[in-house]
């Protein structure tokens, strides 16, 4: 399938680009220039580094999960990059802090964001409170009902949560609404997009802000073991935590990169790379869940943060070139891994991150098991998932 011509570059192979209405182009061009200048400015980088350290909690630790490794590692060492220990509970704050600083630098006093499970909304609300920016988070009505503790957190942090009643009333519709809000208010407003998706320059900005994960992890892994991991594994929703950790290892040809998509259940899945086809959603050309008529299909996962029908364009390119491989883990496997890490290590992982752990557990039952150390990006903690009735251990567990 040939890609349509994009308005301008910002491409990963055939993927990426900017498929947006004319009214959005000046904002995207302004943003691209502002980010390039900020990223080149030592003062901006120094302020971001200080906030990452003193506010966000970086560097996050690298931890060897010995008991999980003994039971589920099949003889290989299993190491965790502890993004769960970030302020607000996941890697999302890396992106929100950087973009909120950028908004202030651009003189935009108002920020809009989209959120599904609420994690990106909470991280963005926190960053805006910190920097004194007005914050409006667009969120589907269905998600607001499902994720009410995060709605409460955003409100406590001073954000206005704006309900979205269109379409499926979930993340896809909230994203469309955030884009509409930005178009209408682009003079005063910055849109903090939450993953490596959307029109250029967002996939690049978000990857650069999340690359701190892979940069730290590579140095920490070398310091702890004297070598590099054999395999790096991360879950893939929009793809930002995976690209964040992959970025540190892309040039290391011997390190295998594995992205784990949500295989879901009989109710559906979110495997855009594994089972989707290229198409355009939210201004970018990438793999997408769509029907034969090109209509976007609803995504499903037990992990709300993986519940998005698209995926970042750079992942499409990594898949096509074979530099990364993408596999699926279903809801049941992810729940089993969620319980396993909790009991074996005293760490309650996010359901999203549990997909990466479950891939390790399954892979190591299939000969030949991996023998080189495995590095898992533990993208977030599971506190947000505790109200979820789906968390009961799978049957047969005494
Ligand atoms: C949002 C989220 C994800 C999925 O988003 P990516 O952009 O694919 O990283 C994964 N894990 C956690 C904990 C999240 O909050």
């Amino acid at each position: 399938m040939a890609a349509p011509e994009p308005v301008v570059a910002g491409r990963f192979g055939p993927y990426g680009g900017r498929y947006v209405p004319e009214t959005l182009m000046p904002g995207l061009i302004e943003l691209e220039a502002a980010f390039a200048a900020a990223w080149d400015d030592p003062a901006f980088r120094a302020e971001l580094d200080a906030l990452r350290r003193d506010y966000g909690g970086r560097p996050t630790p690298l931890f060897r999960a010995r008991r999980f490794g003994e039971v589920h590692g099949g003889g290989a060492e299993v190491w965790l990059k502890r993004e769960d220990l970030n302020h607000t509970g996941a890697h999302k704050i890396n992106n929100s802090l950087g973009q909120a600083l950028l908004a202030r630098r651009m003189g935009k006093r108002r920020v809009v964001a989209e959120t599904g499970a609420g994690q990106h909304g909470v991280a963005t609300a926190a960053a805006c409170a910190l920097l004194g920016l007005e914050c409006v988070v667009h969120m589907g009505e269905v998600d607001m009902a499902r994720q009410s503790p995060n709605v409460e957190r955003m409100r406590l942090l001073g954000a206005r949560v704006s309900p979205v009643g269109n379409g499926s009333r979930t993340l896809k519709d909230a994203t469309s609404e955030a884009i509409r809000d930005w178009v209408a208010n682009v003079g005063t407003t910055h849109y903090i997009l939450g993953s490596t998706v959307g029109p250029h320059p967002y996939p690049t900005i978000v990857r650069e802000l999340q690359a701190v994960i892979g940069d730290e992890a590579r140095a920490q892994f070398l310091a702890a073991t004297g070598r590099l991991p054999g395999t790096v594994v991360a879950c893939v929703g929009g793809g930002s935590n995976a690209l964040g950790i992959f970025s540190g290892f892309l040039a290391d040809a011997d390190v295998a990169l594995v992205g784990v998509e949500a295989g879901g259940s009989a109710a559906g899945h979110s495997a855009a790379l594994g089972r989707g086809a290229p198409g355009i959603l939210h201004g970018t050309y990438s793999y997408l869940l769509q029907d034969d008529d090109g209509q976007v299909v609803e995504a499903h996962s037990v992990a709300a943060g993986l519940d998005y029908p698209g995926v970042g364009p750079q992942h499409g390119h990594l898949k096509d070139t074979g530099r990364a491989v993408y596999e699926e883990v279903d809801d049941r496997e992810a729940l089993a891994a969620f319980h396993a890490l909790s009991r074996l290590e005293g760490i309650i992982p996010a359901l999203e991150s549990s997909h990466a752990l479950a891939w390790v557990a399954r892979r190591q039952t299939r000969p030949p098991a991996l023998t080189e150390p495995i590095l898992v990006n533990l993208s977030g903690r599971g506190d947000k998932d505790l109200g979820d009735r789906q968390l009961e251990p799978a049957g047969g567990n005494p």
Side-chain angles (χ1 to χ4, degrees), residues 26-393:
L28 290 170
I29 290 166
E30 179 193 17
L31 176 60
E32 183 178 8
F35 180 72
W39 214 226
D40 257 358
D41 178 355
F44 181 86
R45 299 286 281 256
E47 186 172 13
L48 178 58
D49 284 348
L51 285 179
R52 282 172 165 174
R53 183 187 65 227
D54 303 332
Y55 183 75
R58 303 208 74 86
T60 58
L62 178 75
F63 176 69
R64 177 157 172 206
R66 287 176 189 275
R67 277 163 51 76
F68 182 86
E70 275 165 26
V71 178
H72 296 293
E77 294 176 13
V78 178
W79 294 78
L80 307 178
K81 178 58 173 163
R82 297 290 309 276
E83 292 300 295
D84 60 309
L85 293 178
N86 275 305
H87 180 48
T88 68
H91 66 291
K92 297 282 191 330
I93 193 78
N94 301 328
N95 175 44
S96 296
L97 264 184
Q99 286 202 49
L101 273 181
L102 186 62
R104 196 186 61 185
R105 184 186 164 104
M106 293 172 78
K108 312 250 169 155
R109 305 301 308 177
R110 179 173 179 270
V111 160
V112 294
E114 83 296 340
T115 202
Q119 291 301 103
H120 174 57
V122 169
T124 300
C128 288
L130 176 73
L131 298 180
L133 303 171
E134 180 188 347
C135 181
V136 177
V137 180
H138 296 277
M139 188 171 189
E141 285 172 348
V142 169
D143 288 334
M144 285 181 72
R146 285 198 290 213
Q147 310 285 337
S148 58
N150 271 343
V151 174
E152 185 60 25
R153 283 186 190 103
M154 286 182 261
R155 287 180 174 149
L156 281 168
L157 293 165
R160 185 163 69 76
V161 181
S162 179
V164 177
N166 307 328
S168 57
R169 297 179 290 150
T170 58
L171 176 59
K172 178 170 68 67
D173 313 288
T175 305
S176 302
E177 198 52 44
I179 294 171
R180 267 193 287 275
D181 184 330
W182 190 39
V183 175
N185 300 291
V186 68
T188 59
T189 298
H190 173 59
Y191 174 23
I192 301 190
L193 216 166
S195 189
T196 43
V197 299
H200 178 61
Y202 280 106
T204 299
I205 292 178
V206 179
R207 182 201 62 213
E208 289 300 293
L209 292 170
Q210 294 293 0
V212 66
I213 302 172
D215 291 345
E216 282 179 12
R218 190 177 189 282
Q220 289 170 319
F221 207 95
L222 280 171
T225 70
R227 55 197 296 206
L228 291 175
T231 305
V232 175
V233 191
C235 65
V236 176
S240 69
N241 88 89
L243 277 180
I245 197 159
F246 288 0
S247 292
F249 300 92
L250 276 175
D252 302 309
D254 291 340
V255 177
L257 305 175
V258 179
V260 184
E261 295 191 291
S265 67
H269 63 89
S270 306
L273 290 157
R275 297 196 237 172
I280 293 169
L281 177 65
H282 296 139
T284 195
Y285 180 70
S286 185
Y287 282 84
L288 179 61
L289 300 181
Q290 50 188 317
D291 64 19
D292 292 343
D293 297 328
Q295 293 296 315
V296 177
V297 171
E298 284 294 296
H300 167 83
S301 171
V302 68
L306 301 183
D307 213 335
Y308 182 70
V311 68
Q314 191 170 356
H315 284 293
H317 189 51
L318 291 171
K319 172 189 153 95
D320 288 3
T321 57
R323 180 62 190 93
V325 297
Y326 296 88
E327 298 191 1
E328 289 175 33
V329 150
D330 69 24
D331 287 354
R332 264 197 48 238
E333 293 173 298
L335 283 170
F338 172 89
H339 289 289
L341 197 77
S342 300
R343 291 177 189 182
L344 291 168
E345 300 290 352
I347 299 170
I348 300 173
L351 286 174
E352 292 81 3
S353 325
S354 300
H355 284 70
L357 296 162
W359 181 86
V360 173
R362 165 147 53 80
R363 175 64 186 76
Q364 295 302 67
T365 64
R366 290 185 181 172
L370 302 172
T371 53
E372 300 294 307
I374 301 167
L375 170 61
V376 177
N377 196 18
L378 200 72
S379 54
R381 54 181 181 246
D383 307 36
K384 69 183 178 55
D385 299 314
L386 298 186
D388 198 323
R389 295 203 357 265
Q390 303 169 100
L391 289 186
E392 295 308 313

